Amino acid sequence: MSHFIKKDLLIFWRDRKETLIALLLPILLIIVLNFALSGVMSDDEDNQLDLQLGIVNQDEQEEAMTVLQEKLVNEASFTEANALAVSENMYALQPVDQLFTYFNSEEIKDFVTVQKLDEDEANQRVEDGELDGILVIPDGYTAETLYSSITGEAPAAQLRYKLENNTNENNILFNVIDGFIDQLNYQFALSKVEGSENAIVHAPQGGVETVETHTPFTLTVAQYYAVTMGALFALFLAATVAIKTGEEIRQQVVNRIYISNAHPTQFLMGKMVSTFCLAWIQLLFVLLTSNFLLDVFPDRSASFWAGLMFIITLIALSIAGLSAAFTSVSLRVKNIDAANGLFMFVVIVLGAIGGGFVPVYILPNWLQQIGEWTPNGLALVIYTDWVQNESVSSILLPGLLLIGFFLLLVIIGILLYPKRGNAK
């Protein structure tokens, strides 16, 4: 099989123009996009978030304990003595007070400014663009939330998050509010452990009314395109392998291989291995060169770079699998030019929904979810987790999915590979 690998590597090497394009064009695009979009995707101090949240408090906290006792007696069949004891035990867990304490914490107040307003004024300000969102605390929220934590029933009154337009800013605010709900549930769980024997505390089933959200993007332009451009051109490399297979068919190279003593699948394996090597070299070259020119990964450890090597290996594997499927299709079809057009179309679609042409976070949520199942989309997920956290555990699942993608495409390529004498 080494002769087949050498043959395919030489085919690429002889096309010096295409080789230079595959290596240098991604670098050029990364440099241009880095200067053109500088600051758009970064989280520097100049781009520090300054979110404005209006809070409309309609709850009567003074009456909450009385209302809670009545509900426990009338709806939960507590005795008055037990209801009073439970209410007193729950008094310290005032959810509204905890909400304002949460927004005044050092971690939150640095990027969220809270304004206490009435509902009409808050609605007007959000329409005028002065507020990113409104959080409404409805009447009875305290009593309903505490009652829910005791009985486990869903509360009738929940926080309402209102917004004018669905933007990154108000989605971030939603995530902040959702974080408060998690913290509140944690407090109730602690109360269950430490509370009175008469109190049966459950995590509340309610929360904040949900809206569609997505995770804010935290990579710089250069970091983002360093991997997406490399992956995009690696996808084009898989299509190029199929195109060159078509040329070999026209030049009767494939027929000469079939009449030799070589096992037919060695031709396919040669394509896969050579594609893997070329894709790996290309991805490594793009990462190292962009880092040298733009200082994409400053002051990173050796373990970080080892993780990047692992990531580009997974990407190269998936590209090799794609080339196997493309090659087998090329050997079966009658119209090579139509097949080549189909391959390029598939690559462009994968590149678009996987974030190769535009930042993936500006795509619709449903398209982002589809994109995360493409090889380049999965690679972006792994890469983003690694750049941000350097956590091996966070990249295991998408890494296994990439390996599964490779194995699936190899199986497809072998099944589609024509038997001796059946190639077109």
Side-chain angles (χ1 to χ4, degrees):
M1 191 176 67
S2 59
H3 299 293
F4 292 93
I5 298 172
K6 181 179 179 180
K7 169 185 69 70
D8 291 313
L9 290 174
L10 286 174
I11 288 174
F12 278 95
W13 178 247
R14 287 168 184 164
D15 194 343
R16 305 294 172 80
K17 179 181 177 182
E18 187 169 326
T19 302
L20 288 175
I21 289 175
L23 292 175
L24 299 181
L25 187 55
I27 301 296
L28 178 61
L29 289 174
I30 291 170
I31 294 173
V32 171
L33 290 169
N34 180 63
F35 287 104
L37 303 177
S38 180
V40 173
M41 293 159 57
S42 67
D43 56 354
D44 299 333
E45 290 183 4
D46 293 338
N47 297 291
Q48 182 69 40
L49 286 173
D50 183 16
L51 305 177
Q52 302 293 322
L53 176 66
I55 294 184
V56 179
N57 187 5
Q58 300 173 342
D59 190 30
E60 297 292 340
Q61 291 175 262
E62 296 79 6
E63 302 175 2
M65 292 301 105
T66 302
V67 174
L68 176 60
Q69 291 178 41
E70 293 176 355
K71 286 178 67 67
L72 290 174
V73 171
N74 298 330
E75 299 179 20
S77 301
F78 276 51
T79 65
E80 291 188 5
N82 282 343
L84 178 60
V86 170
S87 299
E88 290 176 350
N89 183 60
M90 301 296 291
Y91 182 79
L93 299 176
Q94 292 281 354
V96 175
D97 291 343
Q98 290 197 51
L99 176 65
F100 284 107
T101 300
Y102 176 77
F103 277 104
N104 287 325
S105 65
E106 293 296 330
E107 296 82 2
I108 304 298
K109 71 179 183 180
D110 286 343
F111 66 95
V112 178
T113 301
V114 171
Q115 302 179 41
K116 300 178 184 179
L117 305 167
D118 61 57
E119 190 164 15
D120 291 337
E121 183 180 3
N123 287 333
Q124 185 60 49
R125 289 197 182 186
V126 80
E127 289 177 6
D128 295 339
E130 298 177 15
L131 295 176
D132 294 298
I134 304 170
L135 181 63
V136 179
I137 305 172
D139 184 31
Y141 173 72
T142 297
E144 288 290 340
T145 301
L146 295 178
Y147 181 80
S148 171
S149 71
I150 297 167
T151 64
E153 297 179 8
Q158 299 184 21
L159 296 176
R160 299 198 307 271
Y161 181 49
K162 301 169 66 176
L163 52 103
E164 182 71 13
N165 296 304
N166 194 10
T167 65
N168 282 342
E169 286 75 13
N170 49 49
N171 280 329
I172 294 171
L173 274 177
F174 173 84
N175 288 329
V176 171
I177 297 167
D178 197 48
F180 163 72
I181 300 299
D182 291 339
Q183 188 178 98
L184 188 63
N185 288 344
Y186 176 70
Q187 293 297 323
F188 286 135
L190 284 181
S191 176
K192 181 178 181 180
V193 174
E194 301 173 358
S196 166
E197 293 179 357
N198 295 322
I200 305 173
V201 182
H202 305 273
Q205 296 179 12
V208 58
E209 292 182 0
T210 58
V211 296
E212 261 188 7
T213 63
H214 54 264
T215 304
F217 210 79
T218 55
L219 297 181
T220 65
V221 176
Q223 287 175 340
Y224 177 82
Y225 281 111
V227 71
T228 54
M229 278 299 163
L232 176 63
F233 278 83
L235 285 172
F236 281 113
L237 184 63
T240 302
V241 169
I243 292 172
K244 292 186 180 297
T245 300
E247 294 176 0
E248 290 182 276
I249 293 173
R250 292 190 181 100
Q251 296 170 8
Q252 304 298 315
V253 173
V254 175
N255 288 336
R256 290 198 296 272
I257 292 173
Y258 282 149
I259 63 176
S260 69
N261 292 325
H263 193 279
T265 56
Q266 288 185 356
F267 178 80
L268 182 64
M269 295 299 108
K271 294 291 183 185
M272 286 175 50
V273 175
S274 60
T275 303
F276 171 82
C277 294
L278 291 167
W280 196 90
I281 293 171
Q282 180 201 46
L283 289 162
L284 181 63
F285 178 82
V286 170
L287 281 174
L288 292 180
T289 306
S290 59
N291 184 66
F292 175 76
L293 296 175
L294 301 173
D295 197 21
V296 179
F297 308 109
D299 304 322
R300 294 288 189 158
S301 64
S303 61
F304 171 80
W305 286 101
L308 282 186
M309 298 302 102
F310 174 70
I311 291 170
I312 67 173
T313 300
L314 291 176
I315 301 173
L317 267 179
S318 64
I319 300 301
L322 192 62
S323 71
F326 283 173
T327 298
S328 293
V329 172
S330 295
L331 294 172
R332 279 190 169 273
V333 298
K334 295 181 179 179
N335 190 331
I336 296 296
D337 293 330
N340 293 340
L342 175 63
F343 300 149
M344 295 304 294
F345 175 76
V346 171
V347 167
I348 289 172
V349 171
L350 291 176
I353 64 178
F357 295 108
V358 296
V360 68
Y361 73 92
I362 71 173
L363 299 174
N365 288 332
W366 64 271
L367 203 54
Q368 292 183 40
Q369 293 172 0
I370 295 174
E372 290 179 358
W373 289 93
T374 64
N376 50 324
L378 280 169
L380 180 59
V381 171
I382 300 174
Y383 168 79
T384 302
D385 285 338
W386 184 249
V387 170
Q388 293 175 349
N389 306 313
E390 291 190 42
S391 173
V392 175
S393 60
S394 65
I395 65 175
L396 286 179
L397 178 58
L400 290 174
L401 290 174
L402 264 182
I403 294 173
F405 184 87
F406 161 72
L407 294 175
L408 176 63
L409 287 175
V410 169
I411 292 171
I412 292 173
I414 293 174
L415 291 176
L416 291 179
Y417 193 80
K419 301 296 185 291
R420 190 183 297 270
N422 291 336
K424 301 300 180 183

